[in-house]
Amino acid sequence: MMKTNIGRRNFLKQSGATLFYGALITRAQTPPSERIRVAHVGTGGMGGAHINAFSAMPDVETVALCDVDSTRLAASAQRLVQRKPSAKPQTYADYRRILERKDIDVVTCATPDHWHALVAIHAFEAGKDVYGEKPLSYSLREGQRMEQTQRRTGAVFQLGTQIHAGDNYHRVAEIIQSGVLGKIGTVRLWKTGGSRGFGFPANQRPPDTLDWNMWLGPAPYAEYTPVRCHGTFRYFFDYSGGVFADFWCHIADILFMSLQPEGLTTIDARGEVPGDGIADTPKWIDADFAFKGLNVHWTTKPPPVPGADKMSIGAHFEGEKGTLTCDYETRKIRIGKEVLDDLPNVPVTLPRSPGHHRNFLDAVKSRGVPESNLPYVRKMTLPMHLALASFRLKRKITWDSVKEEVVGDPAANYLLDRVNRNNVQVEP
């Protein structure tokens, strides 16, 4: 297997220190031409979806594909050319080579979660705009650094919460914000399912087509076994936070879109890890969040409210005058004895999205702010990181939302960041 040195000094040497620490390329006042040149980092499931979505846009030219798995990389290039014969993408095994190119406007990132922040920050500093997959970052502190760097460089960022663009979420937010349900005091969020143990498979030599060292990147070194890699990496805390981290942003999005909760003070998570294998993220997790004037409860099983038992993921808003239960595409409003799908008297107040990818590309051209922008999604992602810290420590934690630190609990604060392997850092 090819050994890739990803140390910070080596990174600077290979990429050129001036790329990140010399004259930064700030794009805030320099929109690209009418044709947006896009490079895709990570070409698996969601990476393939990015390639398809962006290449279908008439003003996009797909110029580069990158993956540490040469089999996936070749297959993605072949599929792109089959779909769009005029495409002539260059392929790379190392995303840093893409960042050296001055002709690329946008980088998409669909790597495993532990690479999300690093790729985005380096892309910001190289003058690229970024469409990044969820979750936003591996750790809470990485998310802070992402926002600091984006603010400094003027880059445009959109998180890949494609459901955010749908009409249903916009309509739910309009109904909640109209006040017709009264003050919302409690919100219940849920997603069924959790980590499988995967047994205790033997370590293997990585396939010759996979640069395992680069795949691990900033994560601690671990011997290769297939379940740690493609498709199931999220079941390991070294790389992600399980089903909870995977789906939190999709359903917490409607909570933040509708209510913009502030003043988070306490987080109390419970659950267990699988006992039948090497996976260590939650088999199930329940968590209680106390915001200013609002209680939020996450459960792995649907809560005991009407209709929830038929929904694998959902949100339930409890107001003084009624309730609203929704998932990605449906909603039920209950006021007294009435059960309704909509309230025609509530006006349309939120502009509808032209599509999540289109919304991002329009912001790239205008230097505007897309819907799932970085300050918004960082606040929305933050409670997830805190719940995982509470889960791992098996205790309630108190949060100072002004200083953004856990109060009187050094161990909890420690879990909100980590020292990356080979000193690969995500510094602003």
Side-chain angles (χ1 to χ4, degrees):
M1 180 182 67
M2 180 177 69
K3 297 297 183 181
T4 305
N5 187 335
I6 54 172
R8 186 169 182 80
R9 182 173 299 177
N10 188 262
F11 180 93
L12 293 175
K13 181 179 178 181
Q14 292 187 41
S15 298
T18 57
L19 181 61
F20 300 107
Y21 294 96
L24 296 177
I25 305 170
T26 301
R27 291 272 307 285
Q29 298 178 345
T30 311
S33 66
E34 285 303 302
R35 198 156 189 78
I36 300 174
R37 294 168 65 84
V38 177
H40 299 280
V41 179
T43 62
M46 285 309 302
H50 288 175
I51 295 167
N52 291 344
F54 282 98
S55 65
M57 302 289 178
D59 54 348
V60 166
E61 182 180 357
T62 306
V63 298
L65 305 175
C66 176
D67 205 297
V68 298
D69 184 326
S70 62
T71 300
R72 285 190 168 199
L73 183 60
S76 66
Q78 183 179 27
R79 286 192 298 270
L80 172 61
V81 173
Q82 287 173 344
R83 287 172 54 90
K84 197 167 186 175
S86 62
K88 295 179 175 61
Q90 290 186 264
T91 58
Y92 300 84
D94 188 329
Y95 77 96
R96 294 171 292 188
R97 304 289 78 78
I98 284 173
L99 302 187
E100 293 171 344
R101 291 180 54 173
K102 299 185 186 306
D103 63 331
I104 290 174
D105 303 305
V106 164
V107 171
T108 78
C109 178
T111 63
D113 302 358
H114 63 290
W115 269 109
H116 286 180
L118 199 61
V119 171
I121 287 174
H122 288 162
F124 293 160
E125 295 199 319
K128 318 301 183 191
D129 298 319
V130 178
Y131 185 96
E133 263 310 312
K134 51 79 189 171
L136 177 68
S137 58
Y138 169 80
S139 72
L140 186 147
R141 301 300 181 205
E142 283 183 342
Q144 292 174 329
R145 294 171 191 136
M146 287 177 73
E147 185 174 350
Q148 291 166 7
T149 309
Q150 187 220 18
R151 191 181 301 121
R152 177 166 53 82
T153 60
V156 173
F157 178 87
Q158 176 102 299
L159 187 69
T161 47
Q162 291 83 8
I163 296 142
H164 184 102
D167 182 78
N168 189 52
Y169 270 24
H170 286 73
R171 188 58 182 156
V172 167
E174 287 169 342
I175 292 168
I176 298 295
Q177 292 170 7
S178 74
V180 69
L181 301 180
K183 177 177 172 54
I184 305 296
T186 299
V187 177
R188 303 183 187 279
L189 308 173
W190 69 95
K191 172 66 181 79
T192 59
S195 295
R196 298 168 285 161
F198 296 115
F200 300 91
N203 295 329
Q204 302 178 20
R205 182 180 185 276
D208 291 337
T209 55
L210 173 69
D211 186 342
W212 177 238
N213 189 53
M214 189 66 172
W215 188 98
L216 287 170
Y221 183 79
E223 294 294 331
Y224 174 81
T225 185
V227 297
R228 279 187 169 270
C229 196
H230 301 324
T232 48
F233 66 85
R234 281 202 175 96
Y235 297 110
F236 298 87
F237 270 125
D238 280 351
Y239 322 120
S240 184
V243 171
F244 177 60
D246 193 11
F247 284 92
W248 164 269
C249 66
H250 280 316
I251 199 65
D253 192 15
I254 190 55
L255 159 67
F256 278 78
M257 191 175 176
S258 300
L259 295 174
Q260 298 91 45
E262 298 283 351
L264 178 62
T265 54
T266 61
I267 305 94
D268 190 6
R270 306 157 299 283
E272 64 176 310
V273 298
D276 58 347
I278 62 174
D280 56 5
T281 55
K283 179 180 180 180
W284 65 271
I285 180 172
D286 293 352
D288 303 322
F289 305 87
F291 290 88
K292 183 179 180 180
L294 179 70
N295 292 316
V296 176
H297 306 283
W298 172 282
T299 53
T300 300
K301 292 182 179 180
V305 299
D309 60 328
K310 298 179 177 63
M311 302 162 70
S312 63
I313 191 168
H316 178 76
F317 296 83
E318 299 177 5
E320 297 168 321
K321 301 176 183 178
T323 65
L324 186 152
T325 309
C326 69
D327 57 13
Y328 296 161
E329 297 179 347
T330 68
R331 58 186 178 270
K332 290 293 181 185
I333 306 150
R334 292 175 172 83
I335 302 176
K337 295 182 179 180
E338 289 189 287
V339 181
L340 307 163
D341 292 326
D342 200 3
L343 297 172
N345 291 335
V346 173
V348 173
T349 56
L350 298 176
R352 294 314 193 247
S353 173
H356 208 56
H357 304 93
R358 186 69 257 169
N359 173 245
F360 167 69
L361 293 171
D362 290 346
V364 168
K365 288 187 172 184
S366 69
R367 311 315 296 165
V369 180
E371 283 201 346
S372 293
N373 59 81
L374 208 158
Y376 168 78
V377 299
R378 190 184 73 79
K379 287 183 179 179
M380 182 259 289
T381 304
L382 184 148
M384 177 269 286
H385 291 302
L386 295 173
L388 288 174
S390 175
F391 169 87
R392 297 175 78 174
L393 293 170
K394 297 181 170 57
R395 60 174 175 261
K396 184 177 183 178
I397 60 178
T398 300
W399 179 246
D400 185 325
S401 58
V402 176
K403 295 181 179 179
E404 291 203 349
E405 63 183 32
V406 180
V407 178
D409 194 336
N413 279 310
Y414 177 82
L415 290 177
L416 302 183
D417 203 357
R418 75 171 171 196
V419 177
N420 291 326
R421 186 170 65 102
N422 289 350
N423 294 318
V424 177
Q425 298 296 326
V426 284
E427 298 170 352

